[in-house]
Structures are given as C-alpha cells and as structure tokens.
Amino acid sequence: MIHENQAMIALTSDDHKRLMAQAYYHAESHPRAAERLIWKLRNATLFEPEELPDDVVSMNSIVRYRVDGEVPARRALVFSDDGTQPEAEISVLTALGTALLGQRVGERIPLDFQEAGRPRWVQIESIDRGLHGSIIPVRPHDGLVGAARTNG
C-alpha cells in the first residue's frame, strides 16, 4: 500500500466521524478499502466545517482531477452509501476516492493501485462545493452526463 503523501490531510470533524464509522462498518467486507480509509483518517487534521480551507477536497465536493496526466475527469466525492450515479460520482471507499479525500487543489497524490508494476498518481485540478439537492454540473466533454442529487 502506498502512503507516501506527506501533505496535510484536512477534514471536517463531521465527515471524520461518519467516515470512521463507515470504514469500520466495511472492515470485514472490504478490508483493503477500510484500511486505506482508516489510515487516512488517523492522519487527518480536523476542522470545523466553516473553517475547512476552500481548496480542500471534502465530502460532496465536485472534483476535477487527472490520473497520470490523462484526460481530466470530474466527479462528486460521495459516502459509499450515498452514491446513486456512478458515472458522475466516486465513492470515498475506492482507492481514487480515498486518495482525493482531504487533499488540496494542485496536489499530486499516489494511488493505491498499479498498472504493470508502475505507480499511478492523481492530480487535483479544481473543486466545487455544495452538492446537496442540486444537479452535478458535469460537462459532456468530461465524458459524463449530469446527474440529479437529492441529499437532504
């Protein structure tokens, strides 16, 4: 498992509580995903929601990112039990979702999976906040379609 990123991991205290519960809930059924998430949570600096820096990927952020310099993708980072539109969302329990969580725009983060033995990386290009009860604004050139969200 890759745990090389030395940058600060920033999370809201509310997200931290819900994510820790989710990680322990999935520990038996998805041990690798749970281990990745627990490691990240244990190394996080916690903020009150209104104090989280604007350039940090938090839950329900819409993130524009590139994996290994490929074509950018744009998806909402969601809790595993909140996902309803896989083409527009990424679960925090995936290797990519966990890598993005708590990181800042501009950071390049190692991913916990490899292809042909070479490390893979994700770079965060931008984030948007405010996913609750809205349409995920995904443009056609992102290779995705817009998806309705009804988080309460």
Side-chain angles (χ1 to χ4, degrees):
M1 185 177 303
I2 298 173
H3 295 302
E4 298 174 9
N5 189 15
Q6 305 247 334
M8 180 180 77
I9 300 163
L11 296 174
T12 68
S13 53
D14 294 342
D15 284 349
H16 186 272
K17 286 178 204 167
R18 184 170 175 193
L19 288 166
M20 191 62 84
Q22 205 168 58
Y24 282 111
Y25 177 79
H26 290 284
E28 196 169 308
S29 61
H30 302 308
R32 187 173 173 110
E35 178 187 341
R36 259 193 320 262
L37 185 55
I38 290 168
W39 180 89
K40 191 115 186 199
L41 295 171
R42 287 185 177 155
N43 289 284
T45 300
L46 301 184
F47 292 85
E48 289 305 315
E50 63 277 0
E51 295 172 352
L52 187 73
D54 290 335
D55 65 342
V56 172
V57 177
S58 61
M59 296 309 299
N60 297 317
S61 293
I62 300 169
V63 185
R64 182 179 169 94
Y65 61 89
R66 289 178 191 261
V67 175
D68 291 333
E70 296 171 357
V71 175
R74 191 166 186 240
R75 291 192 171 157
L77 182 63
V78 298
F79 293 96
S80 65
D81 51 347
D82 287 352
T84 60
Q85 298 292 324
E87 68 278 358
E89 299 168 336
I90 185 160
S91 168
V92 71
L93 284 178
T94 64
L96 179 58
T98 301
L100 293 169
L101 177 68
Q103 304 299 147
R104 291 179 179 262
V105 171
E107 287 183 336
R108 186 173 176 251
I109 305 108
L111 291 174
D112 182 29
F113 55 87
Q114 295 185 11
E115 199 172 90
R118 73 178 176 99
R120 304 213 50 206
W121 297 83
V122 60
Q123 177 143 8
I124 301 167
E125 294 190 345
S126 65
I127 61 170
D128 295 316
R129 301 254 186 253
L131 184 56
H132 299 285
S134 63
I135 299 294
I136 300 173
V138 188
R139 292 184 285 279
H141 66 77
D142 291 327
L144 307 173
V145 295
R149 289 291 294 168
T150 56
N151 288 0

